[in-house]
C-alpha cells in the first residue's frame, strides 16, 4: 500500500470505530457503570473481534480480486453506497437513538468474560463483516500482490479498532449522553388530567384527595 492509500484506510478505520453502534454503546456502558478499569477488557475484545470479522470479509474479496478482478470496481461502487447507508443507519438505529433505562444490566462482570462478550458480539455478527467488506473494496488493488495488502490492512485495522474502543472507554458519555437525554415535556403535560363530573371540571388529583 502506498502512503496515501494507507492514510486513507487508517482514517476510514478510525471513523468506522468511532461510529455509534451497539458495540460502542456496550463498551461505553461498561465504562460508565463498572468503571474504566473494568472496561479496559472491552478494548482487546472489540479490537480482536472486529479483526476476526475483517478476516471473514477478506476471504470473498480476495477470491474476487484473484479470479474476477474486473468486478472489483463494481463492488467498490456498491460498497461505497452501502457505507453511506451504514452511517445513516448507525445514527438512526433505535438501540442508539432511543432512550434506555438507567438500571440496564450488563451481561458480564469478570474481565475474561467481558473480553469474550465483546469478541463474540463483534466477530460473529454479519453486519460488521459486510461493512468491512465494503471498506476493503475501496482499497484493495487487484493489480498488486494481495497478501501484503491484506496483512497491512489487518494490522492497521487492529490498532484503529483498539484506539476507537479506548476512546469509548475514556469518554463514555460521548455515546450514551444522547441516549439518556430526557424528552422535553410540554408544561401542559404536567398538569393533572381534567375530569368532568356533573358538568363541572375537576382534576384527577382533586378527586383522589376528595375520595
Amino acid at each position: 500500500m502506498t502512503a496515501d492509500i494507507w492514510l486513507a484506510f487508517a482514517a476510514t478505520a478510525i471513523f468506522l470505530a468511532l461510529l455509534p453502534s451497539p458495540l460502542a454503546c456496550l463498551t461505553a456502558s461498561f465504562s460508565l457503570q463498572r468503571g474504566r478499569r473494568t472496561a479496559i477488557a472491552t478494548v482487546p475484545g472489540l479490537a480482536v473481534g472486529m479483526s476476526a470479522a475483517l478476516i471473514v470479509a477478506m476471504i470473498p474479496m480476495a477470491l474476487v480480486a484473484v479470479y474476477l478482478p474486473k468486478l472489483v470496481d463494481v463492488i467498490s461502487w456498491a460498497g461505497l453506497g452501502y457505507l453511506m447507508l451504514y452511517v445513516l443507519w448507525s445514527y438512526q438505529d433505535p438501540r442508539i437513538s432511543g432512550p434506555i433505562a438507567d438500571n440496564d444490566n450488563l451481561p458480564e462482570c469478570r474481565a475474561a468474560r467481558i473480553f469474550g462478550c465483546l469478541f463474540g458480539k463483534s466477530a460473529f455478527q454479519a453486519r460488521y463483516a459486510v461493512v468491512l467488506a465494503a471498506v476493503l473494496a475501496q482499497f484493495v488493488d487487484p493489480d498488486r500482490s494481495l497478501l501484503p495488502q491484506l496483512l497491512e490492512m489487518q494490522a492497521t485495522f487492529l490498532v484503529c479498532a483498539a484506539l476507537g474502543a479506548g476512546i469509548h472507554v475514556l469518554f463514555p458519555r460521548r455515546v450514551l449522553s444522547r441516549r439518556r437525554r430526557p424528552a422535553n415535556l410540554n408544561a401542559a403535560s404536567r398538569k393533572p388530567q381534567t375530569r368532568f363530573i356533573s358538568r363541572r371540571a375537576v382534576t384527577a388529583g382533586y378527586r383522589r384527595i376528595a375520595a
Side-chain angles (χ1 to χ4, degrees):
M1 296 175 66
T2 60
D4 53 346
I5 294 178
W6 180 84
L7 288 174
F9 178 80
T12 304
I14 292 176
F15 174 76
L16 188 65
L18 292 179
L19 276 177
S21 67
L23 289 177
C25 290
L26 184 60
T27 301
S29 296
F30 272 110
S31 178
L32 199 61
Q33 298 183 27
R34 301 281 173 80
R36 292 188 176 94
R37 183 175 299 181
T38 302
I40 288 298
T42 64
V43 176
L46 190 148
V48 176
M50 291 296 287
S51 297
L54 182 64
I55 294 175
V56 174
M58 283 179 176
I59 296 174
M61 283 303 306
L63 293 176
V64 171
V66 171
Y67 296 105
L68 299 170
K70 295 182 179 180
L71 286 180
V72 173
D73 290 337
V74 177
I75 297 175
S76 177
W77 282 105
L80 183 60
Y82 179 80
L83 287 173
M84 294 179 181
L85 291 176
Y86 182 84
V87 172
L88 295 177
W89 290 336
S90 296
Y91 285 98
Q92 298 298 324
D93 192 331
R95 289 170 292 183
I96 309 302
S97 58
I100 58 174
D102 291 330
N103 60 344
D104 281 353
N105 294 322
L106 295 176
E108 302 295 345
C109 296
R110 297 181 180 180
R113 292 186 176 183
I114 293 173
F115 173 90
C117 175
L118 268 295
F119 176 83
K121 289 183 178 295
S122 55
F124 301 117
Q125 289 194 12
R127 62 177 289 174
Y128 302 115
V130 173
V131 73
L132 290 175
V135 171
L136 288 175
Q138 311 305 313
F139 299 98
V140 169
D141 187 355
D143 296 330
R144 298 187 178 186
S145 179
L146 284 178
L147 185 59
Q149 294 183 67
L150 298 179
L151 290 177
E152 193 170 357
M153 290 180 184
Q154 179 71 24
T156 303
F157 186 80
L158 177 64
V159 175
C160 293
L163 179 61
I167 292 176
H168 295 318
V169 170
L170 293 176
F171 307 101
R173 295 189 182 277
R174 188 187 72 87
V175 176
L176 296 180
S177 60
R178 181 175 60 255
R179 300 181 69 197
R180 296 184 182 275
R181 185 178 301 129
N184 293 325
L185 297 177
N186 191 335
S189 63
R190 299 187 180 92
K191 296 180 180 179
Q193 186 175 2
T194 302
R195 303 289 184 182
F196 291 88
I197 300 176
S198 298
R199 298 182 182 178
R200 293 185 180 181
V202 297
T203 63
Y206 179 80
R207 290 180 60 196
R208 288 194 296 269
I209 294 173

